[in-house]
Short mmCIF file of all heavy atoms in Angstrom, two decimals:
data_model
loop_
_atom_site.label_atom_id
_atom_site.label_comp_id
_atom_site.label_asym_id
_atom_site.label_seq_id
_atom_site.Cartn_x
_atom_site.Cartn_y
_atom_site.Cartn_z
N GLU I 1 -20.05 16.78 -22.01
CA GLU I 1 -19.03 15.81 -22.12
C GLU I 1 -17.84 16.11 -21.17
O GLU I 1 -17.31 15.17 -20.61
CB GLU I 1 -18.56 15.83 -23.63
CG GLU I 1 -17.52 14.77 -23.91
CD GLU I 1 -17.03 14.77 -25.35
OE1 GLU I 1 -17.64 15.47 -26.18
OE2 GLU I 1 -16.00 14.17 -25.62
N ALA I 2 -17.51 17.39 -21.13
CA ALA I 2 -16.46 17.76 -20.17
C ALA I 2 -16.85 17.46 -18.68
O ALA I 2 -15.98 17.04 -17.90
CB ALA I 2 -16.14 19.26 -20.31
N MET I 3 -18.16 17.65 -18.34
CA MET I 3 -18.62 17.39 -16.97
C MET I 3 -18.46 15.86 -16.73
O MET I 3 -18.03 15.43 -15.62
CB MET I 3 -20.00 17.82 -16.84
CG MET I 3 -20.57 17.61 -15.42
SD MET I 3 -22.32 18.20 -15.31
CE MET I 3 -23.14 16.88 -16.28
N ILE I 4 -18.89 15.02 -17.76
CA ILE I 4 -18.81 13.60 -17.53
C ILE I 4 -17.33 13.21 -17.33
O ILE I 4 -17.02 12.33 -16.50
CB ILE I 4 -19.47 12.88 -18.75
CG1 ILE I 4 -21.01 13.14 -18.67
CG2 ILE I 4 -19.16 11.39 -18.65
CD1 ILE I 4 -21.75 12.58 -19.93
N ASN I 5 -16.47 13.70 -18.22
CA ASN I 5 -15.07 13.42 -18.11
C ASN I 5 -14.49 13.80 -16.75
O ASN I 5 -13.69 13.12 -16.19
CB ASN I 5 -14.27 14.18 -19.24
CG ASN I 5 -14.56 13.60 -20.55
OD1 ASN I 5 -14.91 12.36 -20.70
ND2 ASN I 5 -14.21 14.38 -21.64
N ALA I 6 -14.92 14.91 -16.24
CA ALA I 6 -14.50 15.38 -14.95
C ALA I 6 -14.93 14.48 -13.81
O ALA I 6 -14.17 14.18 -12.93
CB ALA I 6 -14.87 16.81 -14.65
N GLU I 7 -16.14 14.05 -13.93
CA GLU I 7 -16.68 13.10 -12.88
C GLU I 7 -16.06 11.79 -12.95
O GLU I 7 -15.65 11.20 -11.95
CB GLU I 7 -18.17 13.00 -13.18
CG GLU I 7 -19.10 14.19 -12.79
CD GLU I 7 -20.55 14.04 -13.15
OE1 GLU I 7 -20.88 12.97 -13.84
OE2 GLU I 7 -21.33 14.79 -12.79
N ASN I 8 -15.73 11.31 -14.17
CA ASN I 8 -15.06 10.04 -14.36
C ASN I 8 -13.60 10.15 -13.78
O ASN I 8 -13.09 9.22 -13.17
CB ASN I 8 -14.92 9.55 -15.79
CG ASN I 8 -16.33 9.07 -16.25
OD1 ASN I 8 -17.19 8.68 -15.54
ND2 ASN I 8 -16.60 9.14 -17.59
N SER I 9 -13.02 11.32 -14.08
CA SER I 9 -11.64 11.61 -13.56
C SER I 9 -11.60 11.64 -12.03
O SER I 9 -10.69 11.15 -11.45
CB SER I 9 -11.09 12.85 -14.15
OG SER I 9 -9.82 13.14 -13.71
N ASP I 10 -12.68 12.17 -11.51
CA ASP I 10 -12.76 12.14 -9.95
C ASP I 10 -12.79 10.78 -9.46
O ASP I 10 -12.09 10.49 -8.43
CB ASP I 10 -14.02 12.88 -9.56
CG ASP I 10 -13.93 14.44 -9.69
OD1 ASP I 10 -12.78 14.89 -9.73
OD2 ASP I 10 -14.98 15.05 -9.72
N LYS I 11 -13.57 9.90 -10.15
CA LYS I 11 -13.68 8.49 -9.64
C LYS I 11 -12.32 7.79 -9.81
O LYS I 11 -11.87 6.99 -8.97
CB LYS I 11 -14.72 7.77 -10.44
CG LYS I 11 -16.21 8.19 -10.23
CD LYS I 11 -17.16 7.49 -11.16
CE LYS I 11 -18.55 8.07 -10.94
NZ LYS I 11 -19.47 7.43 -11.85
N ASP I 12 -11.59 8.02 -10.99
CA ASP I 12 -10.33 7.43 -11.21
C ASP I 12 -9.32 7.93 -10.17
O ASP I 12 -8.49 7.07 -9.76
CB ASP I 12 -9.81 7.79 -12.63
CG ASP I 12 -10.65 7.06 -13.81
OD1 ASP I 12 -11.37 6.10 -13.41
OD2 ASP I 12 -10.63 7.51 -14.85
N LEU I 13 -9.41 9.14 -9.87
CA LEU I 13 -8.44 9.69 -8.89
C LEU I 13 -8.72 9.05 -7.52
O LEU I 13 -7.75 8.71 -6.76
CB LEU I 13 -8.57 11.21 -8.79
CG LEU I 13 -7.71 12.00 -7.78
CD1 LEU I 13 -6.25 11.70 -8.05
CD2 LEU I 13 -7.96 13.45 -7.73
N GLN I 14 -9.89 8.95 -7.17
CA GLN I 14 -10.31 8.37 -5.88
C GLN I 14 -9.89 6.91 -5.75
O GLN I 14 -9.41 6.46 -4.81
CB GLN I 14 -11.78 8.53 -5.53
CG GLN I 14 -12.27 8.04 -4.13
CD GLN I 14 -11.49 8.78 -3.03
OE1 GLN I 14 -11.32 10.06 -3.08
NE2 GLN I 14 -10.96 8.11 -2.11
N SER I 15 -10.11 6.24 -6.97
CA SER I 15 -9.74 4.83 -7.02
C SER I 15 -8.18 4.65 -6.87
O SER I 15 -7.71 3.73 -6.12
CB SER I 15 -10.15 4.24 -8.34
OG SER I 15 -9.72 2.94 -8.51
N ALA I 16 -7.43 5.51 -7.44
CA ALA I 16 -5.99 5.50 -7.32
C ALA I 16 -5.55 5.80 -5.94
O ALA I 16 -4.60 5.14 -5.44
CB ALA I 16 -5.29 6.58 -8.21
N LYS I 17 -6.21 6.79 -5.26
CA LYS I 17 -5.91 7.07 -3.88
C LYS I 17 -6.24 5.89 -2.93
O LYS I 17 -5.41 5.53 -2.09
CB LYS I 17 -6.63 8.25 -3.40
CG LYS I 17 -6.24 9.59 -3.96
CD LYS I 17 -7.04 10.78 -3.49
CE LYS I 17 -6.63 12.04 -3.99
NZ LYS I 17 -7.48 13.20 -3.51
N THR I 18 -7.39 5.21 -3.17
CA THR I 18 -7.80 4.08 -2.31
C THR I 18 -6.82 2.95 -2.51
O THR I 18 -6.35 2.25 -1.55
CB THR I 18 -9.24 3.58 -2.67
OG1 THR I 18 -10.07 4.75 -2.47
CG2 THR I 18 -9.64 2.47 -1.87
N LYS I 19 -6.44 2.73 -3.77
CA LYS I 19 -5.48 1.60 -4.08
C LYS I 19 -4.16 1.82 -3.43
O LYS I 19 -3.58 0.95 -2.81
CB LYS I 19 -5.32 1.49 -5.60
CG LYS I 19 -4.53 0.24 -5.97
CD LYS I 19 -4.40 0.17 -7.54
CE LYS I 19 -5.73 -0.09 -8.15
NZ LYS I 19 -5.60 -0.34 -9.62
N LEU I 20 -3.71 3.10 -3.48
CA LEU I 20 -2.38 3.43 -2.87
C LEU I 20 -2.43 3.24 -1.36
O LEU I 20 -1.58 2.67 -0.74
CB LEU I 20 -2.04 4.90 -3.14
CG LEU I 20 -0.69 5.32 -2.63
CD1 LEU I 20 0.43 4.52 -3.14
CD2 LEU I 20 -0.52 6.84 -2.88
N GLU I 21 -3.57 3.66 -0.69
CA GLU I 21 -3.67 3.50 0.71
C GLU I 21 -3.68 2.05 1.12
O GLU I 21 -3.11 1.62 2.13
CB GLU I 21 -4.92 4.19 1.24
CG GLU I 21 -4.89 5.67 1.10
CD GLU I 21 -3.60 6.31 1.84
OE1 GLU I 21 -3.30 5.88 2.93
OE2 GLU I 21 -2.91 7.18 1.29
N LEU I 22 -4.43 1.24 0.38
CA LEU I 22 -4.54 -0.22 0.61
C LEU I 22 -3.19 -0.83 0.51
O LEU I 22 -2.76 -1.71 1.38
CB LEU I 22 -5.48 -0.85 -0.33
CG LEU I 22 -6.98 -0.53 -0.11
CD1 LEU I 22 -7.87 -1.19 -1.18
CD2 LEU I 22 -7.44 -1.04 1.28
N ILE I 23 -2.43 -0.51 -0.54
CA ILE I 23 -1.06 -1.01 -0.77
C ILE I 23 -0.06 -0.59 0.32
O ILE I 23 0.71 -1.37 0.80
CB ILE I 23 -0.53 -0.60 -2.12
CG1 ILE I 23 -1.34 -1.32 -3.32
CG2 ILE I 23 0.91 -1.05 -2.24
CD1 ILE I 23 -1.30 -2.84 -3.22
N LYS I 24 -0.25 0.64 0.74
CA LYS I 24 0.53 1.16 1.83
C LYS I 24 0.33 0.26 3.09
O LYS I 24 1.26 -0.10 3.83
CB LYS I 24 0.33 2.61 2.14
CG LYS I 24 1.06 3.52 1.12
CD LYS I 24 0.80 5.06 1.52
CE LYS I 24 1.51 5.95 0.58
NZ LYS I 24 1.26 7.36 1.04
N ALA I 25 -0.96 0.09 3.40
CA ALA I 25 -1.31 -0.69 4.59
C ALA I 25 -0.78 -2.09 4.53
O ALA I 25 -0.24 -2.61 5.48
CB ALA I 25 -2.87 -0.67 4.70
N ARG I 26 -0.95 -2.70 3.40
CA ARG I 26 -0.48 -4.10 3.20
C ARG I 26 1.06 -4.19 3.24
O ARG I 26 1.60 -5.09 3.96
CB ARG I 26 -0.89 -4.65 1.85
CG ARG I 26 -0.40 -6.07 1.49
CD ARG I 26 -0.88 -6.62 0.24
NE ARG I 26 -0.51 -5.86 -0.94
CZ ARG I 26 0.74 -6.01 -1.49
NH1 ARG I 26 1.65 -6.90 -0.97
NH2 ARG I 26 1.04 -5.35 -2.58
N LEU I 27 1.73 -3.31 2.58
CA LEU I 27 3.18 -3.29 2.62
C LEU I 27 3.68 -3.03 3.99
O LEU I 27 4.71 -3.56 4.53
CB LEU I 27 3.81 -2.23 1.60
CG LEU I 27 3.61 -2.57 0.09
CD1 LEU I 27 4.10 -1.47 -0.69
CD2 LEU I 27 4.32 -3.93 -0.23
N ASN I 28 3.03 -2.06 4.73
CA ASN I 28 3.48 -1.74 6.12
C ASN I 28 3.35 -2.95 6.98
O ASN I 28 4.28 -3.23 7.76
CB ASN I 28 2.59 -0.61 6.67
CG ASN I 28 3.05 -0.14 8.02
OD1 ASN I 28 4.16 0.18 8.20
ND2 ASN I 28 2.11 -0.28 8.99
N ASN I 29 2.24 -3.72 6.85
CA ASN I 29 2.13 -4.95 7.57
C ASN I 29 3.18 -5.98 7.18
O ASN I 29 3.74 -6.69 8.10
CB ASN I 29 0.72 -5.52 7.36
CG ASN I 29 0.43 -6.73 8.30
OD1 ASN I 29 0.57 -6.56 9.52
ND2 ASN I 29 0.07 -7.87 7.67
N GLU I 30 3.43 -6.15 5.88
CA GLU I 30 4.40 -7.07 5.45
C GLU I 30 5.80 -6.72 5.93
O GLU I 30 6.60 -7.56 6.34
CB GLU I 30 4.46 -7.12 3.96
CG GLU I 30 3.20 -7.86 3.38
CD GLU I 30 3.23 -7.89 1.81
OE1 GLU I 30 4.21 -7.34 1.25
OE2 GLU I 30 2.31 -8.40 1.21
N TYR I 31 6.12 -5.37 5.94
CA TYR I 31 7.42 -4.89 6.32
C TYR I 31 7.65 -5.09 7.82
O TYR I 31 8.73 -5.52 8.28
CB TYR I 31 7.58 -3.41 5.95
CG TYR I 31 7.73 -3.09 4.57
CD1 TYR I 31 7.56 -1.79 4.06
CD2 TYR I 31 7.93 -4.11 3.60
CE1 TYR I 31 7.74 -1.48 2.71
CE2 TYR I 31 8.01 -3.90 2.28
CZ TYR I 31 7.94 -2.52 1.82
OH TYR I 31 8.07 -2.27 0.41
N LYS I 32 6.54 -4.96 8.55
CA LYS I 32 6.67 -5.27 10.06
C LYS I 32 6.99 -6.76 10.28
O LYS I 32 7.81 -7.07 11.11
CB LYS I 32 5.38 -4.95 10.74
CG LYS I 32 5.09 -3.39 10.96
CD LYS I 32 3.86 -3.23 11.66
CE LYS I 32 3.66 -1.63 11.86
NZ LYS I 32 2.32 -1.37 12.53
N ASN I 33 6.35 -7.57 9.55
CA ASN I 33 6.60 -9.04 9.71
C ASN I 33 7.96 -9.41 9.27
O ASN I 33 8.63 -10.20 9.89
CB ASN I 33 5.53 -9.84 8.85
CG ASN I 33 4.14 -9.76 9.47
OD1 ASN I 33 4.01 -9.58 10.59
ND2 ASN I 33 3.10 -9.93 8.65
N LEU I 34 8.38 -8.84 8.11
CA LEU I 34 9.74 -9.15 7.53
C LEU I 34 10.74 -8.58 8.50
O LEU I 34 11.79 -9.22 8.79
CB LEU I 34 9.93 -8.43 6.17
CG LEU I 34 9.10 -9.16 5.04
CD1 LEU I 34 9.21 -8.25 3.83
CD2 LEU I 34 9.70 -10.54 4.74
N SER I 35 10.56 -7.36 9.08
CA SER I 35 11.55 -6.86 10.00
C SER I 35 11.67 -7.66 11.31
O SER I 35 12.75 -7.92 11.88
CB SER I 35 11.07 -5.43 10.45
OG SER I 35 11.20 -4.57 9.33
N SER I 36 10.47 -8.18 11.73
CA SER I 36 10.48 -9.08 12.85
C SER I 36 11.20 -10.33 12.58
O SER I 36 12.07 -10.84 13.43
CB SER I 36 9.05 -9.40 13.28
OG SER I 36 8.98 -10.30 14.31
N ASN I 37 10.98 -10.90 11.42
CA ASN I 37 11.67 -12.17 10.96
C ASN I 37 13.20 -11.90 10.84
O ASN I 37 13.96 -12.79 11.27
CB ASN I 37 11.15 -12.62 9.59
CG ASN I 37 9.73 -13.23 9.77
OD1 ASN I 37 9.28 -13.51 10.78
ND2 ASN I 37 9.06 -13.25 8.66
N LYS I 38 13.52 -10.78 10.34
CA LYS I 38 14.93 -10.38 10.20
C LYS I 38 15.66 -10.32 11.56
O LYS I 38 16.76 -10.82 11.66
CB LYS I 38 15.09 -9.09 9.39
CG LYS I 38 16.48 -8.65 9.18
CD LYS I 38 16.59 -7.35 8.49
CE LYS I 38 17.99 -6.91 8.25
NZ LYS I 38 18.10 -5.53 7.68
N SER I 39 14.94 -9.74 12.54
CA SER I 39 15.57 -9.61 13.85
C SER I 39 15.68 -10.96 14.46
O SER I 39 16.71 -11.22 15.09
CB SER I 39 14.53 -8.82 14.76
OG SER I 39 14.46 -7.48 14.31
N ALA I 40 14.75 -11.89 14.26
CA ALA I 40 14.81 -13.25 14.84
C ALA I 40 15.91 -13.96 14.14
O ALA I 40 16.76 -14.73 14.90
CB ALA I 40 13.52 -14.01 14.63
N LEU I 41 16.17 -13.91 12.87
CA LEU I 41 17.19 -14.57 12.14
C LEU I 41 18.61 -13.96 12.56
O LEU I 41 19.53 -14.76 12.67
CB LEU I 41 16.98 -14.35 10.63
CG LEU I 41 15.82 -15.11 9.99
CD1 LEU I 41 15.57 -14.68 8.60
CD2 LEU I 41 16.14 -16.61 9.97
N THR I 42 18.66 -12.72 12.71
CA THR I 42 19.84 -12.08 13.17
C THR I 42 20.33 -12.61 14.55
O THR I 42 21.51 -12.88 14.74
CB THR I 42 19.75 -10.56 13.21
OG1 THR I 42 19.36 -9.99 11.92
CG2 THR I 42 21.01 -9.87 13.71
N GLU I 43 19.34 -12.79 15.52
CA GLU I 43 19.64 -13.28 16.80
C GLU I 43 20.14 -14.73 16.61
O GLU I 43 21.16 -15.17 17.32
CB GLU I 43 18.40 -13.28 17.63
CG GLU I 43 18.02 -11.87 18.10
CD GLU I 43 16.75 -11.92 18.95
OE1 GLU I 43 16.27 -12.97 19.32
OE2 GLU I 43 16.19 -10.75 19.28
N LYS I 44 19.52 -15.54 15.82
CA LYS I 44 19.92 -16.90 15.51
C LYS I 44 21.30 -16.93 14.90
O LYS I 44 22.13 -17.79 15.36
CB LYS I 44 18.91 -17.60 14.64
CG LYS I 44 19.19 -19.09 14.48
CD LYS I 44 18.11 -19.76 13.66
CE LYS I 44 18.32 -21.26 13.58
NZ LYS I 44 17.30 -21.93 12.71
N LEU I 45 21.62 -15.93 14.09
CA LEU I 45 22.92 -15.93 13.46
C LEU I 45 24.00 -15.64 14.50
O LEU I 45 25.07 -16.18 14.44
CB LEU I 45 22.89 -14.73 12.36
CG LEU I 45 24.02 -14.77 11.27
CD1 LEU I 45 23.98 -15.97 10.51
CD2 LEU I 45 23.83 -13.56 10.42
N GLU I 46 23.64 -14.74 15.47
CA GLU I 46 24.62 -14.43 16.49
C GLU I 46 24.88 -15.70 17.35
O GLU I 46 26.09 -15.91 17.80
CB GLU I 46 24.07 -13.33 17.34
CG GLU I 46 23.99 -11.94 16.60
CD GLU I 46 23.32 -10.89 17.38
OE1 GLU I 46 22.69 -11.26 18.49
OE2 GLU I 46 23.21 -9.72 16.99
#
């Protein structure tokens, strides 16, 4: 039972790591786009 729990925990840990990396990649892309938009808007404001 402990071995099964450990294996399941390994899967859950890997899933959490994968999800975090995917979110980081998505947010990084979104932040780049937002930063670019912000720069364009700032120039227009000037």
Side-chain angles (χ1 to χ4, degrees):
E1 183 179 348
M3 182 182 68
I4 293 173
N5 287 338
E7 290 176 349
N8 289 336
S9 180
D10 285 340
K11 292 177 182 178
D12 291 340
L13 178 58
Q14 186 56 49
S15 176
K17 287 180 178 179
T18 301
K19 186 179 292 185
L20 180 60
E21 290 306 314
L22 289 173
I23 292 299
K24 280 183 176 179
R26 176 175 65 78
L27 290 178
N28 184 55
N29 187 53
E30 289 180 359
Y31 289 167
K32 284 182 180 178
N33 291 334
L34 288 171
S35 296
S36 178
N37 291 341
K38 183 182 176 184
S39 296
L41 289 169
T42 300
E43 289 179 8
K44 188 174 181 180
L45 199 61
E46 290 172 354

